[in-house]
Amino acid sequence: MAPDFDFSLSTLKTSFEKILAQNYKVITCEQYVSFKQNKTEEKILVNRVDVDWSCKKAKIFAELYNQLGIKGTFFIRLHGDEYNPFSFENYRCLKFIKDSGHEVGYHSEIIDQGHIWDESAKDCLVRDIKAINNMLDITIKGVASHGGLTGLNNLDFWKTNKPAEFGLLYEGYDKEPAFNLFFESLYVSDSNCRWKCYRNGVLQKDDQRTLREHCEANEPVVYSTLHPETYFHRHIYE
């Protein structure tokens, strides 16, 4: 089957409707921790959203999920030039996401920060968690490492540190038994406007099936990462 690179919001909504019709239970990353403790035979889709560029687009995702009656985990940045989460409109968008019952987590860049600012990555993480918690009056449960332009790998921090040390349940790619989702699932991402997938942590070369197509194959555990800036109502430049 030829790859389907239609990233319109209408197609995304239709895809989720078909996924739900396939009897998938759509859950957040935090909910996966509980699911794993009380594992059932249900097919699940862990619904992750990386807010790399636009809080406004993230709000559109939240509105779509609200219409479908599903929840997602939205990982937000604090230090990128692309958006300021504390701006008038962006804070309003993030507050809407939180108030709609979606999980909010931190899209961390702590190795980048430590290198640029000559500070401890641990100190950066602790400070950033506090900032998000205070901003939205929440207690975040997870972080997911962001890949930027520095050439550094923010995941390196977790080679010698564990989420629980920072009051967290998980890091998006961690190998801790309580989570370990990336290595125990089919991971599907729309990164760079192209679909790709990993099975139990191994890239499946040339497999460009969409999230919907993978779910139609009845994968038992699917871990999806979507990027709101990839999607549009009419065209990519709107």
Side-chain angles (χ1 to χ4, degrees):
M1 181 179 294
D4 177 6
F5 294 148
D6 178 359
F7 290 109
S8 67
L9 286 159
S10 60
T11 295
L12 180 66
K13 183 178 181 182
T14 299
S15 294
F16 270 106
E17 289 172 340
K18 291 183 177 180
I19 289 167
L20 291 169
Q22 290 285 118
N23 295 317
Y24 273 88
K25 183 177 182 179
V26 180
I27 63 175
T28 66
C29 292
E30 179 183 359
Q31 288 173 331
Y32 177 73
V33 176
S34 297
F35 171 85
K36 195 171 183 182
Q37 292 173 346
N38 307 284
K39 196 165 185 180
T40 68
E41 296 302 315
E42 293 176 289
K43 294 184 297 185
I44 63 164
L45 168 61
V46 183
N47 185 23
R48 167 178 159 183
V49 180
D50 285 1
V51 187
D52 287 355
W53 291 79
S54 172
C55 293
K56 295 177 183 178
K57 282 286 187 79
K59 179 176 180 287
I60 292 172
F61 259 45
E63 291 170 338
L64 186 150
Y65 291 165
N66 292 348
Q67 294 171 17
L68 294 167
I70 61 177
K71 302 301 180 188
T73 298
F74 290 75
F75 290 104
I76 64 170
R77 300 170 66 191
L78 289 183
H79 307 291
D81 287 338
E82 290 78 12
Y83 65 85
N84 170 15
F86 294 90
S87 74
F88 290 111
E89 185 60 18
N90 286 341
Y91 173 75
R92 190 184 73 85
C93 292
L94 296 176
K95 189 171 182 292
F96 174 85
I97 292 169
K98 181 204 73 168
D99 290 345
S100 295
H102 303 285
E103 181 187 5
V104 176
Y106 176 36
H107 208 20
S108 64
E109 301 172 88
I110 49 179
I111 295 290
D112 295 336
Q113 294 164 233
H115 177 76
I116 292 169
W117 298 337
D118 194 22
E119 294 183 356
S120 161
K122 285 187 178 181
D123 291 344
C124 291
L125 178 59
V126 170
R127 183 175 60 220
D128 289 348
I129 290 173
K130 288 180 180 178
I132 294 175
N133 287 345
N134 289 335
M135 175 175 63
L136 293 173
D137 191 24
I138 58 175
T139 301
I140 66 169
K141 302 300 183 181
V143 303
S145 299
H146 176 68
L149 301 177
T150 65
L152 301 171
N153 188 347
N154 288 296
L155 272 172
D156 287 346
F157 177 82
W158 301 103
K159 292 179 178 178
T160 55
N161 298 278
K162 298 182 185 301
E165 297 170 5
F166 302 90
L168 302 169
L169 289 178
Y170 66 88
E171 195 283 332
Y173 302 101
D174 78 43
K175 296 182 179 180
E176 294 300 299
F179 196 68
N180 198 33
L181 178 56
F182 181 69
F183 299 95
E184 295 180 349
S185 68
L186 182 77
Y187 175 83
V188 184
S189 173
D190 61 6
S191 182
N192 298 318
C193 298
R194 289 290 183 272
W195 291 102
K196 63 180 180 180
C197 70
Y198 293 73
R199 185 175 297 279
N200 299 328
V202 179
L203 177 64
Q204 304 300 289
K205 187 177 179 182
D206 298 326
D207 189 342
Q208 296 180 313
R209 285 178 292 168
T210 66
L211 174 61
R212 173 181 57 79
E213 289 169 327
H214 283 295
C215 290
E216 287 175 344
N218 284 314
E219 295 286 343
V221 179
V222 179
Y223 180 20
S224 68
T225 295
L226 304 181
H227 300 80
E229 67 272 9
T230 302
Y231 295 83
F232 51 85
H233 288 290
R234 295 183 61 188
H235 59 84
I236 192 64
Y237 294 111
E238 65 192 17

